[in-house]
Amino acid sequence: MSTQTETILELENVTAGYGKIVALNGISLTVKTGAMVTLLGANGAGKTTTLKTISGLVRVSGGAVRFESADITQIPAHEIARRGLVHVPEGRHVLRGLSVRENLELGAFTVKDPALRHKRMKEVFELFPVLEKRQHGDGSLLSGGEQQMLAIGRALMHGPRLLLLDEPSMGLAPKLVIETMRIAKQLSEAGTTILLVEQNARLALKLAHYGYVLESGHICMEGEAATLRVDKSIVQAYLGE
């Protein structure tokens, strides 16, 4: 695991939104290489918009986004993914009519080396054996939990250096929530840097190294995850105690 001393992602006074609606208002955050960082906040706080802004799906109107020290603020989303910053959006977005294997292959559209594509496919199947078993079936016919595995697997085919995970446990049964988070932890321990938005704040803070709390497009609190887990205001607002 990385020593988490180098910064892989930095947002500096970022403002972004949808048309005239400002969803993020001057937020700044950093993610260290090898860390798992979580974003907390109520619905509408700006968590998903933050991930979309980082990955180029929402335009930045002020401030800067830097990935591996390079300014990616105005770079198209497909180029950002090509650089190794990969977004697994809320809702999975499995493509109907394509097999599980074909969905995975789409994740490797930037990989020219057939041997590397084969290696990554093998690694995804080792991580998610059910996908190998059902690789020739329609991906859209998988269960919710299996579709989440497929969405993560497709992202891993890129060979991400930073993985953005947006609500990976949404709509899943409790057992599958635990399994999904176990996989996220496994990826983190193997060296993949992760920025996580997760509705289960207790579980997110248990797994993450660091956390930021968003409120109405502003970062209102940040700190080590272990510290946030016992902060009275966090406990009352997000942990249901």
Side-chain angles (χ1 to χ4, degrees):
M1 170 120 184
S2 167
T3 57
Q4 301 173 27
T5 57
E6 297 181 357
T7 297
I8 190 171
L9 176 73
E10 181 181 13
L11 274 64
E12 182 179 4
N13 296 321
V14 169
T15 299
Y18 308 91
K20 295 182 179 180
I21 300 174
V22 177
L24 303 179
N25 196 350
I27 72 168
S28 297
L29 62 82
T30 59
V31 176
K32 299 295 185 181
T33 301
M36 185 189 297
V37 175
T38 188
L39 297 179
L40 303 179
N43 290 337
K47 305 185 300 298
T48 290
T49 301
T50 299
L51 297 193
K52 287 183 175 181
T53 300
I54 293 167
S55 64
L57 298 176
V58 171
R59 183 176 177 179
V60 175
S61 57
V65 179
R66 286 183 283 272
F67 175 60
E68 296 184 324
S69 300
D71 190 331
I72 62 168
T73 309
Q74 302 300 332
I75 291 179
H78 68 274
E79 178 58 30
I80 291 174
R82 191 184 301 274
R83 293 185 181 207
L85 196 166
V86 184
H87 187 178
V88 181
E90 178 185 347
R92 298 153 199 154
H93 298 283
V94 171
L95 296 179
R96 186 180 301 275
L98 295 184
S99 70
V100 168
R101 190 178 189 91
E102 288 168 336
N103 268 277
L104 291 172
E105 288 171 345
L106 283 177
F109 75 95
T110 63
V111 182
K112 305 303 181 185
D113 182 358
L116 182 55
R117 289 199 301 270
H118 176 77
K119 175 178 179 291
R120 288 182 181 167
M121 184 76 73
K122 182 180 179 181
E123 290 171 348
V124 169
F125 285 156
E126 288 174 350
L127 187 62
F128 304 112
V130 67
L131 297 184
E132 181 175 25
K133 183 178 179 181
R134 304 190 64 178
Q135 62 180 294
H136 301 299
D138 189 325
S140 66
L141 299 180
L142 296 175
S143 69
E146 291 166 345
Q147 286 192 29
Q148 187 61 68
M149 294 175 192
L150 178 54
I152 294 173
R154 185 173 56 198
L156 294 177
M157 291 293 290
H158 279 279
R161 290 187 292 283
L162 173 59
L163 189 61
L164 309 181
L165 291 178
D166 192 0
E167 301 284 12
S169 75
M170 180 171 284
L172 300 184
K175 183 177 179 180
L176 289 176
V177 170
I178 298 299
E179 176 64 13
T180 300
M181 291 298 100
R182 183 194 66 77
I183 290 165
K185 181 180 180 182
Q186 182 177 338
L187 292 172
S188 175
E189 290 176 342
T192 301
T193 308
I194 296 175
L195 181 56
L196 171 70
V197 168
E198 172 52 49
Q199 61 182 344
N200 189 328
R202 183 186 305 280
L203 191 52
L205 287 173
K206 184 176 180 180
L207 297 178
H209 302 102
Y210 201 84
Y212 291 89
V213 182
L214 281 168
E215 185 176 292
S216 301
H218 299 270
I219 291 176
C220 61
M221 187 180 296
E222 65 176 277
E224 298 292 331
T227 301
L228 293 178
R229 229 174 23 239
V230 295
D231 183 278
K232 289 184 178 180
S233 62
I234 297 297
V235 169
Q236 292 174 355
Y238 305 110
L239 305 186
E241 294 181 3

